[in-house]
Amino acid sequence: MTLDAKIPSGPIQEAWAKACFDMKLVNPSNKRKHSLIVVGSGLAGASAAASLGELGYNVKCFCFQDSPRRAHSIAAQGGINAAKNYPNDGESVFRLFYDTVKGGDFRAREGNVYRLAQNSGKIIDQCVAQGVPFAREYGGSLTNRSFGGAQVSRTFYARGQTGQQLLLGAYQALERQVHAGSVTMIPRTEMQDLIVVDGQARGIVARNLLTGELTVHIADAVILATGGYGNVYYLSTNAKGSNATAIWRAYKRGALFANPCFTQIHPTCIPVSGDYQSKLTLMSESLRNDGRIWVPKKKGDSRPPNEIPEDERDYYLERRYPSFGNLVPRDVASRNAKALCDEGYGVGKSGLGVYLDFSESIARLGEKTIRERYGNLFDMYQRITDENPYKVPMRIYPAIHYTMGGLWVDYQLQSTIPGLFVLGEANFSDHGANRLGASALMQGLSDGYFIIPYTVGNYLATNKFPKVEDSNPAVQEAISSVRTKLDKLLSIKGNRTVDSFHRELGKIVWDYCGMARTADGLTSAIGKIRALREEYWKNVNVPGSGDDLNASLEKAGRVADFFELAELMCIDALDRNESCGGHFREEYQTADGEAQRDDEHYSYVAAWGYAGADAAPVLNKEPLEFHYVHPSQRSYK
Amino acid sequence: MKLTLKIWRQKNRNDKGAFVPYVMNDVDPEMSVLECLDVLNETLILRGEVPVAFEHDCREGICGSCGFVINGVAHGPERGTTACQLTMRHFKDGDELTLEPWRAKAFPLIKDLVVDRRALDHIIEAGGYISVSTGQAPDGNDILVGKEIADESMDAAACIGCGACVAACPNASAALFTGAKITHLGTLPQGEPERERRALSMVAQMNAEAFGNCTSIGECTAACPKEIPLEVIANMNRDYVCASFRRRDDLPTPVPPAVHRA
Ligand SMILES: Cc1cc2nc3c(=O)[nH]c(=O)nc-3n(C[C@H](O)[C@H](O)[C@H](O)COP(=O)(O)OP(=O)(O)OC[C@H]3O[C@@H](n4cnc5c(N)ncnc54)[C@H](O)[C@@H]3O)c2cc1C
Ligand code: SF4
Ligand code: FES
C-alpha cells in the first residue's frame, strides 16, 4: 500500500492554513444531523468531544472509568510546551518545531510537527480562558520552566499537576456540552470492536462494565482517543486500566499500526521495591531542572549518599553532555542510567538506581523555593519510599512511560480506514522515535481542540452515510466475535491468573524490547511471547461471569490484546536495523555509545497491516522527507 | 507482617452484604493497601472464590478512582493520602483492618467496595465550568492573575473528585467538593462573569442529589486527601447567598439526580 500523508504542497508555514481553506464545511444547521463517536475522555478525547459538541454535532463519548475526569491524562505532572516566547529567550514556532523533530531523532513527519508548534500557543490561551490555574509571576503573567531536550523555557505548568488541571479544563468543557445536550457521556463502558461497513468506520461494539451488556453504537465517524499502550510492559507509569484494546481491534479491522516499537523509557521514576509491585511512579522530569544526577565513582559503593564526598561522585550527564547536562532528552538520560547500573555503579538495595540530588539547589535557592516548585512530588516520593528528599537524594531509575507508536494517521488524523480518526497518544503521533517532555499534553489538545473539528467536518461533508441497521452482517459479525472471545476467556478456568501472565509477558518485553534491543534477543522474545500466549488461551483463570462488574474479565481481554501487540512490537524492532531515539539496537551505536541512525535505509514510518491470525503482518512504508530540519547525528554535548 | 483484613462483601445493591475476614500472612510494609488487595485477590482467584471489587486506576493519588473507609476513616489514617498511596508500613504486625465502601445515599453501592459517584459529575455538569468555547480565548497573558490568587485557586482546584468528603461527613454532604470547584473558578478573573449563576446552579444540583446538608462539622476536610480547606464552603455559601438575593427570578432547574437514573 502506498501511504499518502496528504500534506499540502508549498511552504510548511502555510500548509495548515491552506489545508483548512481547502476543506469542505458542514452547514451549521446540518451539523446536528451528524453523529460522532469519541472513544476516550483524556485530553485528546475530552477536548475533541467538547469542541465537536460546541460546533453542534451529535456526539457520544465513551470511557471505561466511572467518570471522564479520571482518564490517565490526569496523572501528567510536569507541564505543557508552547511557543509563546514570553520569557524572551529565543523561542519561536520554528524552534519548537526544530527541537521536536530533532528530539524525535528524525523519525517524525515535518508537516504534522510544524502544525503542532503553530497550535501550541492557542492551547495555552484556551486553557487559561477555561480557568486552568497555571503558575504565575507576582505581576500576574504566566511563568515558564525548562524541560529536557530544550534550551529555552517554554513549559507552562500548574504545580506538579499540570495534566490534572488541563484535563479538568477539558472535562468541564465536556460537561458543559453534556448539559447543553450535544454530548452524551457514556462512562464505565469499554469499546470492544470497530464496526466497518462497506469500507467506512461506522460504529463500535461496547461493553457495559457493570452489566456486561454488549451494545452497538452507529455513527457517521469514529474518533479514537484511547491513549497509549505502555502497559504491555506490565510495570509502567501508566494507569492500571490504560490499554490497547480499541486501537488493536481497529488494527485487526484494517487500520495500519505505525512504529509499534517506538516506546519511551522515562529516566526519573521511583525504583521497583518488590514482586507485588503493581505500577511504577514517575517523578516529573521537571525535577532535572534543579536536581543533579550522579552515581558513586566506585563500583558497589554502599556508603549512604551523604557520606560520599563530592570528588567521589560522578555527575555523569554533566560530564558527558556539558551543554545540556542534566537536561538531555529522555532516551539519552535513561540509557546512561541503565549503562552505569549494568556496570555496577547503581545505588539502592537492588543496584538499579541513580541519585537525583537537590542539596545544591536547596543551598542556593532555599528549601522554600524548592518546596514551592516540587512540594507535591517530594511528598509523593516520601510517601512511597519513606525517605525525605529534602535531606537525602532521591533514588530514581528509568521506567516505561509513553508510546510514540500507534495507529497510522494522515495529516487529517484519519487512519487507513475512512471515517476512523485517531487522536492523542493513540496515534503514531508527532514525536518520531522519542518524545520531548511536555509535548504529549500539547499534542493531545492540539488534536482535540484545533485539528479534529476541522478535519472531521471535511470528511462528513464529502461522504455519504447510508443508514446502518443492527441486522447488518458487519454489525452482527462484530458482536459475535466479541462475544466469542469473552465466552472463551471465561470458559478456560485454568490454573493461572491474568496478572501472572501479564507480569511474565511484561518481563519478556522489558528484557528484550525495552531500553536495549538486539536481533537475537528480539527473535527469542517473539518465540517466548507466542509460547506464553498459547498457554494463556489454555490455562488462564478468569473468575466469575460476564454479567456483572468483573475486573478480571476486563483485564483478561486487554492482556489478550497485549500479547498480540507485544509480538508486533518485537517484529517491528527486529525489522528496524538501526538505532534511533528510544529504539536502541545494541548492534547500531556510535563509538561513544550513542544511537546510530541509518537514514539511507530507515528514514520511513513503518506501518504494519494485519493479514490474519496466522499470517505475518505486512510492512508498508511512508518515506520521511526533511526539507526544513536536516537530519544529523543528534548531539547534546 | 501478618494482618487480618475485614472486608465488606456485597454482590450488588439487592444483596445484604457482610464483613468477611481474610488473614494475610505475608504483607510487605512497602506495599500499598491496594497492592495488598491485589495479592489477596490473586489467592482468592486461585481458590475459586470471587475477588474483591475495588476501584482504582492511577495509583498515584491523582485520578480519584480509589477510596474506601479503612478502620472508620475515609482513605485510612494518613493525612493527605489516598488509599492507593497508603503503604502498609503505617500498620503493625497483627493489626486488623476494616475496609468498607463509601456509605452515602447519593452514592449507591455497586459491588463490594465500589459505589456510584455520578452525582459528583452532575454537580459539575450543572455549572462547574467557565463558558468559553474552543477558539474564543484571548492571549493567555491578556488576563493577568496575581500569583497569590492563582495559588489560592490552585489549592481548591486540586480536588480529585474522590468523594471521601461525602463519606466522612455524618450528613453525607458534598459541600467541600462543590465549594472546591466554586472557589477554583470563582477566585479567578476568568470565572467572575458566571460566578453567581455557577453558585446557584451547582448548589441547586447538589441539593437535588441525595446529599445531606452541611452543618460545619469539618470531618470532610480532615479526610480529604488533597486537604481542601473548609474556607471553600464559606466561599460557596457567600456566592450562593449573594446570588440568591440578586437572581431570585433566575433559579436553575437541576438535572435528574443519580439515584433516580438507570
Ligand atoms: C505519570 C505520567 C506523567 C506524564 N507527564 C506528562 C507531562 O508532564 N507532560 C506531557 O506532555 N505529557 C506527560 N505524560 C504523557 C501524557 O500524560 C499522555 O500521553 C496523555 O495524557 C495521553 O492523553 P490521551 O488523551 O491520548 O489518552 P488518555 O488520557 O490515556 O485517555 C484515554 C481515554 O480513553 C479511554 N479508553 C481507553 N480504552 C478504551 C476503550 N477500549 N473503551 C472506552 N474507552 C477507552 C479511557 O477511559 C480514557 O478516557 C505523562 C504520562 C504519565 C504516565
Ligand atoms: S474535596 Fe477532597 S475529599 Fe472531597 S472529592 Fe475533592 S479531593 Fe476528594
Ligand atoms: S487510584 Fe487514582 S487516586 Fe488512587
Side-chain angles (χ1 to χ4, degrees):
Chain A
M1 188 187 299
T2 46
L3 286 173
D4 180 7
K6 303 202 199 83
I7 310 241
S9 55
I12 199 165
Q13 292 82 351
E14 314 291 324
W16 177 234
K18 181 168 185 299
C20 288
F21 182 73
D22 289 342
M23 281 185 229
K24 296 277 178 297
L25 302 174
V26 180
N27 178 310
S29 62
N30 283 338
K31 287 202 173 94
R32 71 189 157 75
K33 295 182 196 148
H34 285 291
S35 54
L36 297 171
I37 286 173
V38 177
V39 188
S41 65
L43 284 179
S47 60
S51 305
L52 294 166
E54 287 160 6
L55 286 172
Y57 294 110
N58 192 345
V59 183
K60 273 188 192 170
C61 180
F62 296 80
C63 71
F64 65 76
Q65 295 92 343
D66 68 326
S67 162
R69 67 180 291 153
R70 310 213 196 279
H72 168 59
S73 295
I74 202 93
Q77 302 171 345
I80 175 166
N81 287 332
K84 283 285 200 186
N85 195 28
Y86 288 151
N88 195 29
D89 59 356
E91 170 67 326
S92 63
V93 166
F94 198 89
R95 186 176 298 281
L96 175 54
F97 156 70
Y98 176 93
D99 285 351
T100 307
V101 172
K102 176 184 167 197
D105 217 356
F106 306 95
R107 291 294 173 262
R109 194 191 279 153
E110 278 192 334
N112 285 50
V113 178
Y114 196 87
R115 172 178 63 185
L116 176 64
Q118 280 176 312
N119 281 342
S120 64
K122 284 194 287 188
I123 297 172
I124 300 303
D125 301 341
Q126 187 65 32
C127 296
V128 168
Q130 288 170 346
V132 170
F134 283 119
R136 301 274 174 167
E137 303 290 346
Y138 281 99
S141 54
L142 291 155
T143 187
N144 293 101
R145 57 165 61 140
S146 39
F147 243 63
Q151 288 174 313
V152 294
S153 286
R154 60 161 71 102
T155 305
F156 294 78
Y157 63 99
R159 296 210 183 128
Q161 291 126 279
T162 316
Q164 178 196 29
Q165 294 309 315
L166 296 175
L167 184 62
L168 291 180
Y171 155 75
Q172 287 161 202
L174 174 70
E175 289 295 340
R176 176 172 161 247
Q177 292 311 304
V178 172
H179 193 63
S182 57
V183 177
T184 309
M185 185 66 220
I186 308 179
R188 290 199 194 271
T189 303
E190 185 162 289
M191 168 177 164
Q192 293 286 323
D193 208 346
L194 180 73
I195 297 172
V196 182
V197 180
D198 298 331
Q200 278 178 317
R202 289 301 304 275
I204 63 170
V205 177
R207 178 169 182 271
N208 178 321
L209 300 182
L210 296 185
T211 63
E213 189 194 355
L214 295 180
T215 48
V216 169
H217 304 267
I218 299 296
D220 296 343
V222 177
I223 298 163
L224 299 186
T226 51
Y229 52 90
N231 276 347
V232 166
Y233 292 84
Y234 187 71
L235 284 182
S236 86
T237 62
N238 286 9
K240 292 295 285 177
S242 298
N243 69 91
T245 291
I247 56 174
W248 193 250
R249 299 308 164 88
Y251 164 73
K252 292 176 93 170
R253 294 277 171 203
L256 298 188
F257 204 118
N259 301 333
C261 82
F262 287 175
T263 55
Q264 177 165 78
I265 315 279
H266 195 290
T268 52
C269 302
I270 302 180
V272 176
S273 67
D275 296 338
Y276 52 79
Q277 188 133 356
S278 60
K279 76 156 287 179
L280 295 170
T281 304
L282 178 79
M283 287 285 104
S284 168
E285 166 165 329
S286 59
L287 293 170
R288 288 198 272 146
N289 269 312
D290 289 306
R292 298 178 68 198
I293 296 181
W294 61 276
V295 291
K297 281 188 180 158
K298 204 171 80 202
K299 277 187 195 179
D301 192 336
S302 58
R303 285 175 291 177
N306 296 347
E307 285 171 24
I308 301 179
E310 202 50 36
D311 61 349
E312 293 179 37
R313 302 176 175 191
D314 179 10
Y315 294 92
Y316 56 90
L317 291 177
E318 296 170 27
R319 171 171 58 81
R320 296 193 63 189
Y321 308 95
S323 58
F324 279 71
N326 292 298
L327 288 178
V328 291
R330 292 176 172 173
D331 54 335
V332 178
S334 295
R335 214 145 45 228
N336 276 278
K338 176 181 174 354
L340 286 161
C341 292
D342 287 351
E343 286 167 36
Y345 294 97
V347 301
K349 253 191 269 168
S350 61
L352 295 177
V354 300
Y355 289 125
L356 177 62
D357 193 335
F358 294 87
S359 52
E360 196 207 86
S361 309
I362 291 176
R364 183 163 41 91
L365 303 165
E367 190 170 315
K368 180 160 175 282
T369 308
I370 296 297
R371 192 179 299 278
E372 260 179 18
R373 285 188 192 163
Y374 314 109
N376 67 323
L377 296 170
F378 277 44
D379 291 349
M380 177 141 80
Y381 182 85
Q382 183 157 15
R383 219 172 281 134
I384 293 176
T385 62
D386 209 20
E387 288 172 2
N388 177 355
Y390 294 100
K391 301 271 181 293
V392 196
M394 286 184 180
R395 283 173 298 110
I396 52 159
Y397 195 68
I400 182 77
H401 174 63
Y402 183 86
T403 50
M404 281 77 69
L407 292 185
W408 186 89
V409 288
D410 62 14
Y411 193 62
Q412 308 268 324
L413 301 182
Q414 186 167 224
S415 71
T416 45
I417 301 177
L420 179 70
F421 294 80
V422 192
L423 319 182
E425 194 173 337
N427 70 23
F428 86 108
S429 87
D430 305 352
H431 310 294
N434 173 58
R435 175 175 71 78
L436 291 184
S439 287
L441 303 182
M442 167 172 76
Q443 184 225 331
L445 291 179
S446 168
D447 289 359
Y449 283 134
F450 297 113
I451 300 176
I452 195 72
Y454 294 80
T455 60
V456 92
N458 181 56
Y459 173 77
L460 296 172
T462 51
N463 284 278
K464 295 225 168 347
F465 304 96
K467 190 164 177 3
V468 176
E469 306 287 351
D470 277 4
S471 58
N472 187 299
V475 176
Q476 288 305 317
E477 191 272 325
I479 297 194
S480 77
S481 80
V482 171
R483 188 159 291 137
T484 310
K485 178 175 167 183
L486 294 170
D487 288 348
K488 170 83 188 151
L489 285 167
L490 281 164
S491 71
I492 302 169
K493 301 278 188 259
N495 297 316
R496 283 183 69 178
T497 62
V498 177
D499 274 356
S500 89
F501 279 103
H502 193 181
R503 237 177 249 277
E504 189 175 337
L505 170 68
K507 175 106 178 37
I508 299 173
V509 193
W510 176 251
D511 286 346
Y512 299 103
C513 197
M515 254 188 295
R517 305 154 178 194
T518 64
D520 287 348
L522 289 162
T523 312
S524 80
I526 292 171
K528 287 176 202 258
I529 292 168
R530 283 189 190 149
L532 191 64
R533 187 174 85 197
E534 211 166 293
E535 190 196 336
Y536 184 75
W537 284 102
K538 289 198 188 113
N539 196 24
V540 73
N541 185 339
V542 182
S545 65
D547 55 10
D548 78 335
L549 180 63
N550 185 344
S552 306
L553 180 60
E554 293 165 30
K555 278 195 257 184
R558 295 170 187 163
V559 171
D561 294 332
F562 282 146
F563 268 113
E564 299 178 13
L565 171 55
E567 185 174 330
L568 186 68
M569 286 165 65
C570 293
I571 291 173
D572 183 42
L574 185 59
D575 199 70
R576 193 171 275 279
N577 291 307
E578 65 162 351
S579 294
C580 54
H583 169 63
F584 192 73
R585 281 279 301 272
E586 284 181 1
E587 304 94 319
Y588 309 99
Q589 50 181 307
T590 62
D592 50 358
E594 303 293 341
Q596 178 83 64
R597 283 199 328 269
D598 176 355
D599 289 337
E600 197 188 326
H601 300 103
Y602 291 95
S603 187
Y604 60 74
V605 175
W608 298 89
Y610 183 67
D614 301 311
V618 180
L619 176 62
N620 304 272
K621 296 177 185 176
E622 179 201 336
L624 290 168
E625 287 166 23
F626 294 91
H627 300 292
Y628 296 86
V629 187
H630 290 290
S632 54
Q633 162 77 37
R634 268 189 327 165
S635 168
Y636 294 93
K637 307 230 172 216
Chain B
M1 293 197 287
K2 188 173 160 175
L3 290 175
T4 306
L5 301 184
K6 272 176 65 188
I7 304 177
W8 183 260
R9 303 301 309 263
Q10 184 174 349
K11 264 197 216 120
N12 53 47
R13 223 162 282 173
N14 304 324
D15 182 33
K16 251 183 78 191
F19 283 106
V20 179
Y22 298 94
V23 177
M24 311 255 321
N25 286 319
D26 208 6
V27 176
D28 189 310
E30 305 282 308
M31 279 179 177
S32 70
V33 181
L34 301 195
E35 285 169 341
C36 205
L37 286 176
D38 290 342
V39 172
L40 172 65
N41 279 345
E42 292 285 289
T43 38
L44 292 181
I45 294 170
L46 294 177
R47 286 212 306 249
E49 294 175 36
V50 183
V52 181
F54 63 97
E55 204 125 38
H56 66 102
D57 200 21
C58 74
R59 298 204 174 191
E60 286 190 8
I62 193 76
C63 74
S65 296
C66 69
F68 35 80
V69 175
I70 306 172
N71 291 346
V73 184
H75 286 300
E78 274 296 290
R79 256 194 111 80
T81 304
T82 52
C84 59
Q85 294 256 288
L86 180 68
T87 50
M88 300 311 286
R89 71 174 84 89
H90 300 293
F91 303 99
K92 48 180 202 311
D93 193 44
D95 274 0
E96 190 176 272
L97 270 66
T98 313
L99 311 188
E100 56 190 313
W102 291 164
R103 297 198 194 269
K105 195 165 155 228
F107 292 163
L109 187 124
I110 291 174
K111 187 177 179 180
D112 297 339
L113 304 174
V114 180
V115 299
D116 181 349
R117 289 171 291 188
R118 275 179 302 171
L120 299 181
D121 284 327
H122 296 164
I123 296 175
I124 303 297
E125 181 192 328
Y129 40 74
I130 289 171
S131 299
V132 52
S133 294
T134 305
Q136 293 177 333
D139 185 87
N141 263 346
D142 285 353
I143 310 166
L144 295 181
V145 183
K147 183 174 181 310
E148 292 85 354
I149 303 220
D151 284 346
E152 191 188 332
S153 170
M154 181 63 217
D155 287 340
C159 164
I160 58 174
C162 61
C165 44
V166 178
C169 174
N171 306 325
S173 158
L176 196 68
F177 169 83
T178 312
K181 188 51 65 193
I182 286 177
T183 304
H184 158 208
L185 298 174
T187 309
L188 295 169
Q190 302 93 300
E192 188 58 36
E194 286 173 297
R195 190 161 153 188
E196 295 187 345
R197 169 170 286 276
R198 181 180 311 117
L200 282 181
S201 320
M202 292 180 72
V203 171
Q205 187 65 40
M206 179 176 80
N207 294 336
E209 304 286 344
F211 295 111
N213 289 326
C214 172
T215 52
S216 303
I217 301 171
E219 289 290 336
C220 50
T221 195
C224 173
K226 299 295 142 181
E227 305 185 299
I228 303 291
L230 271 185
E231 282 130 76
V232 302
I233 301 182
N235 293 342
M236 172 177 78
N237 290 338
R238 184 196 56 213
D239 284 2
Y240 181 74
V241 169
C242 290
S244 330
F245 182 69
R246 286 212 292 242
R247 291 178 179 256
R248 254 171 300 198
D249 309 325
D250 196 17
L251 288 179
T253 345
V255 300
V259 277
H260 295 140
R261 290 195 197 180

